[in-house]
Amino acid sequence: MRAAVFTEPGPASVLQIVERDLLPPGPGEVRVRIVLSAVNPTDTGTRAGRGVPDGVSPPRVPNQDGAGVVDAIGDGVSGLEPGDHVWVWDASYARENGTAQEYVVLPRRQVVRMNEDVPFEVGAALGIPALTAHRCLTLASDGPDRLAPGALEGRTVLVAGGAGAVGNAAVQLAKWAGATVLTTVSSKEKADLAAAAGADAVINYREEDVTARVRELSETGPNVIVEVNTDNLASDLDVIAPGGNIAIYVGGKVTVPSFKAMLKNVSLDFVLTYTTSEQEKDNAVAAVGEAVNSGAFRVGEQAGLPILRYPFEQVVQAHEAVENNAVGKVVIEVTQP
């Protein structure tokens, strides 16, 4: 089989496509033929030698997320059969083999069946973005542990960066769960994408006063803020509802206007999908799977997340596109559907 491999950290050009042996699945494992491999910022960071330490050194096959078809199952595997359409998560976290290869062997838990009418583009776009978004939307002490229709009924959610992959997932999942969703963006193009994702109101922070606009749109303020930029914390604390939660899923140093937070009894929570608890991850996978199979999670420009496709031979260019902040979801065509 063909695999994209890097033998040392560095720029995208360190990726090379090589031939590798096809490995059999062991007990409790599933071999998946990857149709589409997704590229996330964490994938490019790992390849470059930055990001989340996981104790694994090169050579490595990058990319955490992907979608494909079950090719073979090991002893003790239930609930999946060869030919099933699936999406996978955390494929290369603390492992040498990610989804940038024609076949990947994974533990059964990391392979999720999806209905055959679900496009592979949807499956490839889940993983890190959707599971991160789910955790951000469920960390409130008085909120649901798992999203479902009606689970966020009566709540208002503010999503910073609604045109990004996590932002798009947060908008779609929050709407599926019944929330009123506000979001911020930086351009007219991104505003159109966030509206297509289903946001009830979109605020262009380059042209509007975010604090004033949120107060106009929500009498109490948002109960949950899904935050991609810690520089927004001061304005977040201005608008958040008393007892609200700010979910931060981006790295960097944080300066907190603590008295503002104290006055409202606000909680700041930090989210990294790789290291959530087993129960939190299982809840996220189950909820996202339900949303996908019910048709509530979509991709493409009409759903606010353009799909940017690259042939397998252009894996380097795909990684470079993510590093250059491409708007949309970058996927690599590894094998034919």
Side-chain angles (χ1 to χ4, degrees), residues 3 171 246 291:
V171 170
I246 302 173

Side-chain angles (χ1 to χ4, degrees), residues 20-331:
R20 285 187 143 191
D21 291 337
L22 184 63
L23 299 176
E29 293 182 331
V30 179
R31 188 170 69 202
V32 178
R33 176 173 62 81
I34 296 295
V35 174
L36 294 177
S37 172
V39 186
N40 294 287
T42 186
D43 298 315
T44 63
T46 299
R47 186 218 68 234
R50 305 185 307 271
V52 184
D54 60 10
V56 179
S57 301
R60 298 183 69 165
V61 174
N63 298 1
Q64 305 284 356
D65 300 338
V69 179
V70 173
D71 180 66
I73 59 175
D75 291 341
V77 169
S78 61
L80 287 174
E81 297 291 340
D84 285 347
H85 290 199
V86 294
W87 57 278
V88 305
W89 51 269
D90 287 10
S92 63
Y93 179 68
R95 302 176 70 257
E96 296 176 357
N97 289 294
T99 62
Q101 56 187 338
E102 291 181 326
Y103 295 86
V104 65
V105 175
L106 291 168
R108 166 67 180 90
R109 181 169 175 262
Q110 291 173 240
V111 181
V112 188
R113 187 185 177 280
M114 61 186 188
N115 293 344
E116 290 196 7
D117 60 352
V118 176
F120 288 112
E121 290 84 355
V122 171
L126 302 174
I128 288 170
L131 301 181
T132 297
H134 185 278
R135 181 60 192 145
C136 289
L137 294 168
T138 57
L139 45 72
S141 60
D142 61 345
D145 293 328
R146 173 177 163 179
L147 295 182
L152 296 178
E153 195 73 40
R155 293 179 179 250
T156 297
V157 174
L158 172 62
V159 178
V166 175
N168 174 275
V171 170
Q172 293 201 63
L173 291 173
K175 286 301 299 178
W176 174 63
T180 297
V181 181
L182 319 178
T183 188
T184 61
V185 296
S186 61
S187 69
K188 173 64 166 62
E189 174 195 14
K190 291 181 178 180
D192 291 342
L193 293 175
D200 295 287
V202 183
I203 305 164
N204 185 334
Y205 66 78
R206 297 192 188 280
E207 298 179 354
E208 302 177 80
D209 183 323
V210 174
T211 299
R213 187 77 175 114
V214 171
R215 285 175 172 164
E216 177 186 327
L217 292 165
S218 176
E219 184 176 343
T220 62
N223 307 97
V224 174
I225 298 178
V226 181
E227 187 54 77
V228 69
N229 186 346
T230 55
D231 290 341
N232 294 335
L233 282 178
S235 59
D236 288 344
L237 290 169
D238 283 338
V239 300
I240 196 166
N245 292 80
I246 302 173
I248 300 168
Y249 64 91
V250 64
K253 293 185 177 180
V254 177
T255 300
V256 181
S258 58
F259 193 64
K260 277 188 178 182
M262 291 163 59
L263 282 172
K264 291 186 175 181
N265 284 279
V266 169
S267 295
L268 273 67
D269 295 88
F270 298 86
V271 173
L272 182 67
T273 182
Y274 301 128
T275 54
T276 53
S277 73
E278 185 172 323
Q279 187 61 62
E280 289 162 353
K281 183 62 73 74
D282 286 348
N283 285 340
V285 170
V288 169
E290 181 183 346
V292 166
N293 285 335
S294 69
F297 195 105
R298 303 169 297 123
V299 300
E301 192 159 352
Q302 72 281 3
L305 191 69
I307 298 297
L308 310 177
R309 303 173 70 97
Y310 288 80
F312 194 30
E313 293 74 17
Q314 293 183 13
V315 61
V316 170
Q317 291 88 335
H319 269 236
E320 289 174 339
V322 171
E323 291 175 317
N324 291 327
N325 301 312
V327 177
K329 190 68 186 177
V330 172
V331 298

